[in-house]
Coordinates of all heavy atoms in Angstrom, one line a residue:
D203 N 13.3 -8.6 -14.6 CA 13.0 -7.2 -14.8 C 12.4 -6.7 -13.4 O 11.2 -7.1 -13.1 CB 12.0 -7.0 -15.9 CG 11.7 -5.5 -16.1 OD1 12.0 -4.7 -15.3 OD2 11.2 -5.2 -17.2
P204 N 13.1 -5.9 -12.7 CA 12.6 -5.5 -11.4 C 11.3 -4.6 -11.4 O 10.7 -4.3 -10.4 CB 13.8 -4.7 -10.8 CG 14.5 -4.2 -12.0 CD 14.4 -5.3 -13.0
N205 N 11.0 -4.1 -12.6 CA 9.8 -3.3 -12.8 C 8.6 -4.0 -13.3 O 7.6 -3.4 -13.7 CB 10.1 -2.2 -13.7 CG 11.2 -1.3 -13.2 OD1 11.2 -0.8 -12.1 ND2 12.2 -1.1 -14.1
K206 N 8.6 -5.4 -13.3 CA 7.6 -6.2 -13.9 C 7.3 -7.4 -13.1 O 8.3 -8.1 -12.6 CB 7.9 -6.6 -15.3 CG 6.9 -7.4 -16.1 CD 7.4 -7.7 -17.5 CE 6.4 -8.5 -18.3 NZ 6.9 -8.8 -19.6
I207 N 6.1 -7.8 -12.9 CA 5.7 -9.0 -12.2 C 5.4 -10.1 -13.2 O 4.7 -9.8 -14.2 CB 4.4 -8.8 -11.3 CG1 4.7 -7.9 -10.1 CG2 3.9 -10.1 -10.8 CD1 3.5 -7.5 -9.3
G208 N 5.9 -11.3 -13.0 CA 5.5 -12.4 -13.8 C 6.5 -12.9 -14.8 O 6.2 -13.8 -15.6
D209 N 7.7 -12.3 -15.0 CA 8.6 -12.7 -16.0 C 9.8 -13.6 -15.4 O 10.7 -13.9 -16.1 CB 9.3 -11.4 -16.7 CG 10.1 -10.6 -15.7 OD1 9.8 -10.7 -14.5 OD2 11.0 -9.9 -16.2
E210 N 9.6 -14.0 -14.2 CA 10.6 -14.8 -13.5 C 10.6 -16.2 -14.1 O 9.6 -16.7 -14.6 CB 10.4 -14.8 -12.0 CG 10.1 -13.5 -11.4 CD 8.6 -13.2 -11.4 OE1 7.8 -14.1 -11.5 OE2 8.3 -12.0 -11.4
D211 N 11.8 -16.9 -13.9 CA 11.8 -18.3 -14.4 C 12.3 -19.3 -13.3 O 12.7 -20.4 -13.6 CB 12.7 -18.4 -15.6 CG 14.2 -17.9 -15.4 OD1 14.5 -17.6 -14.2 OD2 14.9 -17.8 -16.4
D212 N 12.3 -18.8 -12.1 CA 12.7 -19.7 -11.0 C 11.7 -20.9 -10.8 O 10.5 -20.6 -10.7 CB 12.8 -18.9 -9.7 CG 13.5 -19.7 -8.6 OD1 13.0 -20.8 -8.2 OD2 14.5 -19.2 -8.1
A213 N 12.2 -22.1 -10.8 CA 11.3 -23.3 -10.8 C 10.5 -23.3 -9.5 O 9.5 -24.1 -9.5 CB 12.1 -24.5 -10.9
R214 N 10.8 -22.6 -8.5 CA 10.1 -22.7 -7.2 C 8.8 -21.9 -7.3 O 7.9 -22.1 -6.4 CB 11.0 -22.1 -6.1 CG 12.2 -23.0 -5.7 CD 13.1 -22.3 -4.7 NE 13.8 -21.2 -5.3 CZ 14.6 -20.4 -4.6 NH1 14.9 -20.7 -3.3 NH2 15.3 -19.4 -5.2
I215 N 8.6 -21.0 -8.3 CA 7.4 -20.2 -8.3 C 6.3 -21.0 -8.9 O 6.3 -21.4 -10.1 CB 7.7 -18.9 -9.2 CG1 8.7 -18.1 -8.5 CG2 6.4 -18.1 -9.3 CD1 9.1 -16.8 -9.3
V216 N 5.2 -21.2 -8.2 CA 4.0 -21.9 -8.6 C 3.2 -21.0 -9.6 O 2.7 -21.4 -10.6 CB 3.1 -22.3 -7.5 CG1 1.8 -22.9 -8.0 CG2 3.9 -23.4 -6.6
G217 N 3.1 -19.7 -9.2 CA 2.4 -18.7 -10.0 C 2.0 -17.5 -9.2 O 2.3 -17.3 -8.0
H218 N 1.4 -16.6 -10.0 CA 0.9 -15.3 -9.5 C -0.7 -15.2 -9.7 O -1.2 -15.8 -10.7 CB 1.5 -14.1 -10.2 CG 2.9 -13.9 -10.0 ND1 3.5 -13.0 -9.2 CD2 4.0 -14.6 -10.6 CE1 4.8 -13.1 -9.2 NE2 5.1 -14.0 -10.1
D219 N -1.4 -14.6 -8.8 CA -2.8 -14.3 -9.0 C -3.0 -12.9 -8.3 O -2.2 -12.5 -7.5 CB -3.7 -15.4 -8.4 CG -5.0 -15.5 -9.2 OD1 -5.5 -14.4 -9.7 OD2 -5.6 -16.6 -9.2
V220 N -4.2 -12.3 -8.7 CA -4.5 -11.0 -8.1 C -5.6 -11.1 -7.2 O -6.5 -12.0 -7.3 CB -4.8 -10.0 -9.3 CG1 -3.6 -9.7 -10.1 CG2 -6.0 -10.4 -10.1
T221 N -5.7 -10.2 -6.2 CA -6.6 -10.2 -5.1 C -7.5 -9.0 -4.9 O -8.4 -9.0 -4.1 CB -5.8 -10.4 -3.8 OG1 -5.0 -9.2 -3.5 CG2 -4.9 -11.6 -3.8
N222 N -7.1 -7.9 -5.6 CA -7.7 -6.6 -5.4 C -7.6 -6.1 -3.9 O -8.3 -5.3 -3.4 CB -9.2 -6.6 -5.8 CG -9.4 -6.7 -7.3 OD1 -8.7 -6.0 -8.0 ND2 -10.3 -7.6 -7.7
G223 N -6.6 -6.7 -3.2 CA -6.3 -6.3 -1.9 C -7.4 -6.6 -0.8 O -7.4 -5.9 0.2
N224 N -8.2 -7.6 -1.1 CA -9.3 -7.8 -0.1 C -9.3 -9.3 0.2 O -8.7 -10.2 -0.5 CB -10.6 -7.3 -0.5 CG -11.1 -7.9 -1.9 OD1 -11.1 -9.1 -2.1 ND2 -11.5 -7.0 -2.8
E225 N -10.1 -9.7 1.3 CA -10.2 -11.1 1.7 C -10.8 -12.0 0.7 O -10.3 -13.1 0.4 CB -11.0 -11.2 3.0 CG -10.3 -10.6 4.2 CD -11.1 -10.9 5.5 OE1 -11.9 -11.9 5.5 OE2 -10.9 -10.2 6.5
E226 N -11.9 -11.6 0.0 CA -12.5 -12.4 -1.0 C -11.5 -12.7 -2.1 O -11.4 -13.8 -2.6 CB -13.7 -11.7 -1.5 CG -14.5 -12.6 -2.6 CD -15.7 -11.9 -3.1 OE1 -16.1 -10.8 -2.6 OE2 -16.3 -12.5 -4.0
G227 N -10.8 -11.6 -2.5 CA -9.8 -11.8 -3.6 C -8.7 -12.8 -3.2 O -8.2 -13.6 -4.0
G228 N -8.2 -12.6 -1.9 CA -7.2 -13.5 -1.4 C -7.6 -14.9 -1.3 O -6.8 -15.8 -1.7
R229 N -8.9 -15.1 -1.0 CA -9.4 -16.5 -0.9 C -9.5 -17.2 -2.3 O -9.0 -18.3 -2.5 CB -10.7 -16.5 -0.2 CG -11.4 -17.9 0.0 CD -12.5 -17.8 1.0 NE -13.5 -16.8 0.6 CZ -13.7 -15.7 1.3 NH1 -13.1 -15.4 2.3 NH2 -14.7 -14.8 0.8
T230 N -10.0 -16.4 -3.2 CA -10.1 -16.9 -4.6 C -8.8 -17.2 -5.2 O -8.5 -18.2 -5.9 CB -10.9 -16.0 -5.4 OG1 -12.2 -15.8 -4.9 CG2 -11.1 -16.5 -6.9
A231 N -7.8 -16.2 -5.0 CA -6.5 -16.4 -5.6 C -5.8 -17.6 -5.0 O -5.1 -18.3 -5.7 CB -5.7 -15.1 -5.4
M232 N -5.9 -17.8 -3.7 CA -5.3 -18.9 -3.1 C -5.9 -20.2 -3.6 O -5.1 -21.2 -3.8 CB -5.5 -18.9 -1.5 CG -4.8 -19.9 -0.7 SD -3.0 -19.7 -0.7 CE -2.4 -21.0 -1.7
E233 N -7.2 -20.3 -3.8 CA -7.8 -21.5 -4.4 C -7.3 -21.8 -5.7 O -7.0 -22.9 -6.1 CB -9.3 -21.3 -4.4 CG -10.0 -21.3 -3.0 CD -11.4 -20.8 -3.1 OE1 -11.9 -20.3 -4.1 OE2 -12.1 -20.9 -2.0
N234 N -7.1 -20.7 -6.5 CA -6.6 -20.9 -7.9 C -5.1 -21.5 -7.9 O -4.8 -22.3 -8.7 CB -6.6 -19.6 -8.6 CG -8.0 -19.1 -9.0 OD1 -8.9 -19.8 -8.9 ND2 -8.1 -17.8 -9.2

Side-chain angles (χ1 to χ4, degrees):
D203 184 344
N205 300 308
K206 182 180 180 181
I207 291 173
D209 65 334
E210 316 85 23
D211 57 10
D212 194 299
R214 292 174 290 180
I215 298 178
V216 172
H218 295 260
D219 208 331
V220 295
T221 66
N222 291 315
N224 59 50
E225 286 188 26
E226 181 180 354
R229 184 166 51 251
T230 300
M232 186 71 251
E233 290 169 350
N234 292 340

